[in-house]
Amino acid sequence: MSPDQTLEPARVASGNSRKLFVKSYGCQMNVYDASRMADLLAPEGYDETTVPDDADLIILNTCHIRELASEKVFSELGKLRLLKAARQSEGKPPVRIVVAGCVAQAEGEEILRRQKAVDLVVGPQTYHRLPDLLRRVEGKPGLVDTDFPAEDKFDHLVAPSPEKTAVRGVSAFVTVQEGCDKFCSFCVVPYTRGAEVSRPVEAVLAEIKGLVAAGVREVTLIGQNVNAYHGFDAATGASASLATLIARVAALPEHVRIRYTTSHPNDMGADLIAAHSDVVALMPFLHLPVQAGSDRILAAMNRRHTARDYLDLVASIRAARPDIALSSDFITGFPGETDADFEATLALVEEVGFASAFSFKYSPRPGTPGADRSDQVPEDVKALRLAKLQVMLEDQRQAFNRATVGRVLPVLFEKPGRHAGQIAGKSPYLQAVHVEGPNVLIGRVVPVEILEAGPNSLHGRLIPGQDATGSRDWEQDIRGLDAAVVEASV
Ligand code: SAH
Ligand code: SF4
Ligand code: F3S
């Protein structure tokens, strides 16, 4: 997911009297946290609303990854200050403003100094204290809680109600790992999220069971470095790898599709690669950021692998799962990057052939080693390289999408489409797919013949008589599906 996306969770009404507006910026971790905050505040009497204007409590769940993402928060806070003042002058109940997430962690007190309208600043590791913190700022605004506490926040969070889960959709994120010890020299995450920690296997399984009971059909196991997962497994008394966790999720009788994100190339163990061949429920899509293709720049970024290591890894993964869709993140214009270095990135992209990717201009971040370097690349050079890279990545994405035309893919339908009579879902390769079909198929995996690849989604058709086969295995395993379903339908 693009860390620059602005995401708003689905809202559920429950008859509570106070209104909560949460706006989330950044990555998958923030999307998950925003839902957990809403769950935590429901028993406190808060219902979610889609507009800030009538909210009693506004939470900005922020992202610090690039300067643009970070500065967005302060312009948003400027608008909220006016809203707060207008409410006060109209004699309406006061609105409280909370800054949460990674900017909260990084800037702390500075936020209160820059914007007096803020009542509370709370970091990603202490938001489980929100109910208490909100009581404390009731008569005395201006509190900051950005601890890295001894207690585990997951032990204090509230499970979502089945109603909330159902409204949020059939595909859900589950945080299994947090934080990062990698310290890439461009990145703020190890400072904003802290050291790597993994949730115990049983806790993850229990959360997934609850989600599935409420209608979820696909889980994405998430973490900043999800494949560094090493949660305690009560079944063995030892720590489990991500591959073991995936196997345990796949063995649940609940039968869900499984994805995971984001992975670091250095943590792609042999067991995880093998899972892409062996675990039918594990979808053939892998987001594996490489950042750059020049060994000199990879070393300067502290990535601790070479371009060749990455290419060899891709070859092993493709040997396990030939049709896997690969995705990556790229940065152009890291300090010291020359034209030749950038050409090496293009050469790597050419060699791999990505199904999708996110790419960004390098943004110097305070406190990271990259920001202190004297050999910063000029903005116009970064921008030109980014534009060139994006043309190539977009061509690859379109080519990948075109290659699925004519195939039959099991699509998990998620929501009504944009046009009447349409439904929309995701292919195993995480492509958006829409077809003409009834809403009753939402939440089900159905074989779809792909007819056309548009710029942003695939268009397909349902295969008559093939929307329920009685067997569940075909839903997950697309190897051989084309032949099996087409044969059955003629
Ligand atoms: N492993 C993480 C990466 C988080 S940041 C995860 O869970 O997704 C996502 C992407 O943002 C990185 O892969 C990198 O490509 C980009 N990024 C991070 N810091 C950046 C910076 N200072 N400038 C530009 N892009 C950056
Ligand atoms: Fe940031 Fe690197 Fe950690 Fe990813 S692996 S979160 S890019 S420091
Ligand atoms: Fe942004 Fe924090 Fe995620 S900095 S990308 S919200 S971990």
Side-chain angles (χ1 to χ4, degrees), residues 85-237:
R87 287 272 286 267
Q88 198 171 10
S89 66
E90 287 162 21
K92 290 187 177 158
V95 54
R96 272 175 300 161
I97 299 175
V98 177
V99 179
C102 291
V103 177
Q105 190 65 42
E107 306 266 348
E109 294 279 348
E110 178 66 12
I111 297 172
L112 295 181
R113 202 188 57 73
R114 271 181 76 175
Q115 184 47 267
K116 302 267 180 295
V118 173
D119 294 274
L120 172 65
V121 176
V122 61
Q125 302 308 337
T126 46
Y127 70 78
H128 59 288
R129 297 174 178 167
L130 263 173
D132 178 48
L133 293 169
L134 286 169
R135 277 188 276 279
R136 285 170 58 195
V137 293
E138 200 85 52
K140 197 168 167 282
L143 191 65
V144 176
D145 186 355
T146 52
D147 275 3
F148 285 109
E151 79 268 16
D152 183 349
K153 77 170 175 226
F154 292 104
D155 293 339
H156 301 270
L157 296 180
V158 171
S161 65
E163 295 75 31
K164 272 182 184 284
T165 302
V167 170
R168 285 173 186 158
V170 297
S171 184
F173 287 140
V174 176
T175 294
V176 304
Q177 177 275 340
E178 272 211 280
C180 180
D181 296 337
K182 296 272 192 295
F183 291 94
C184 299
S185 60
F186 51 80
C187 184
V188 293
V189 170
Y191 311 97
T192 59
R193 294 273 171 167
E196 260 180 50
V197 279
S198 296
R199 295 177 69 189
V201 171
E202 294 305 324
V204 173
L205 295 179
E207 188 165 323
I208 292 174
K209 279 169 172 278
L211 291 169
V212 174
V216 164
R217 292 295 315 276
E218 174 180 278
V219 289
T220 303
L221 311 177
I222 62 168
Q224 270 95 7
N225 271 294
V226 72
N227 55 345
Y229 177 84
H230 57 275
F232 178 74
D233 187 356
T236 60

Side-chain angles (χ1 to χ4, degrees), residues 173-419:
F173 287 140
V174 176
T175 294
V176 304
Q177 177 275 340
E178 272 211 280
C180 180
D181 296 337
K182 296 272 192 295
F183 291 94
C184 299
S185 60
F186 51 80
C187 184
V188 293
V189 170
Y191 311 97
T192 59
R193 294 273 171 167
E196 260 180 50
V197 279
S198 296
R199 295 177 69 189
V201 171
E202 294 305 324
V204 173
L205 295 179
E207 188 165 323
I208 292 174
K209 279 169 172 278
L211 291 169
V212 174
V216 164
R217 292 295 315 276
E218 174 180 278
V219 289
T220 303
L221 311 177
I222 62 168
Q224 270 95 7
N225 271 294
V226 72
N227 55 345
Y229 177 84
H230 57 275
F232 178 74
D233 187 356
T236 60
S239 69
S241 66
L242 183 65
T244 304
L245 180 67
I246 287 170
R248 297 285 299 279
V249 177
L252 290 175
E254 281 81 1
H255 228 97
V256 273
R257 278 185 170 197
I258 306 167
R259 302 180 186 276
Y260 62 94
T261 200
T262 292
S263 301
H264 192 288
N266 291 355
D267 291 317
M268 280 309 294
D271 60 346
L272 187 53
I273 295 174
H276 279 284
S277 167
D278 304 339
V279 181
V280 157
L282 181 60
M283 292 294 103
F285 178 94
L286 176 60
H287 183 61
L288 190 66
V290 63
Q291 315 295 353
S294 148
D295 289 346
R296 218 173 58 80
I297 295 300
L298 287 169
M301 286 176 162
N302 193 30
R303 293 291 291 181
R304 299 167 196 259
H305 64 77
T306 62
R308 177 47 50 203
D309 293 337
Y310 186 84
L311 293 169
D312 289 348
L313 185 57
V314 165
S316 310
I317 296 162
R318 283 192 167 141
R321 184 76 204 219
D323 64 332
I324 198 156
L326 289 170
S327 155
S328 180
D329 293 340
F330 295 93
I331 295 177
T332 64
F334 184 79
E337 187 188 69
T338 62
D339 284 342
D341 292 320
F342 176 63
E343 290 299 324
T345 299
L346 296 181
L348 180 139
V349 171
E350 179 72 46
E351 190 162 345
V352 174
F354 289 97
S356 66
F358 298 109
S359 47
F360 317 93
K361 280 189 298 181
Y362 172 67
S363 169
R365 304 306 291 129
T368 62
D372 295 333
R373 288 180 54 148
S374 56
D375 49 356
Q376 300 291 327
V377 172
E379 270 315 297
D380 56 336
V381 176
K382 288 186 209 175
L384 209 64
R385 288 179 187 163
L386 182 66
K388 215 167 161 181
L389 175 64
Q390 287 185 338
V391 166
M392 194 168 183
L393 290 168
E394 180 58 15
D395 282 352
Q396 292 192 344
R397 191 175 76 86
Q398 298 294 347
F400 183 89
N401 288 344
R402 276 195 308 274
T404 53
V405 173
R407 294 186 60 191
V408 175
L409 300 177
V411 171
L412 171 57
F413 285 105
E414 296 176 328
K415 57 186 179 190
R418 263 192 291 150
H419 302 293

Side-chain angles (χ1 to χ4, degrees), residues 426-459:
K426 293 275 160 48
S427 80
Y429 307 114
L430 208 59
Q431 299 153 295
V433 181
H434 64 268
V435 304
E436 272 65 49
N439 284 351
V440 63
L441 294 181
I442 292 169
R444 291 175 62 182
V445 180
V446 179
V448 170
E449 184 186 352
I450 306 301
L451 299 174
E452 199 186 339
N456 294 311
S457 74
L458 303 176
H459 178 66

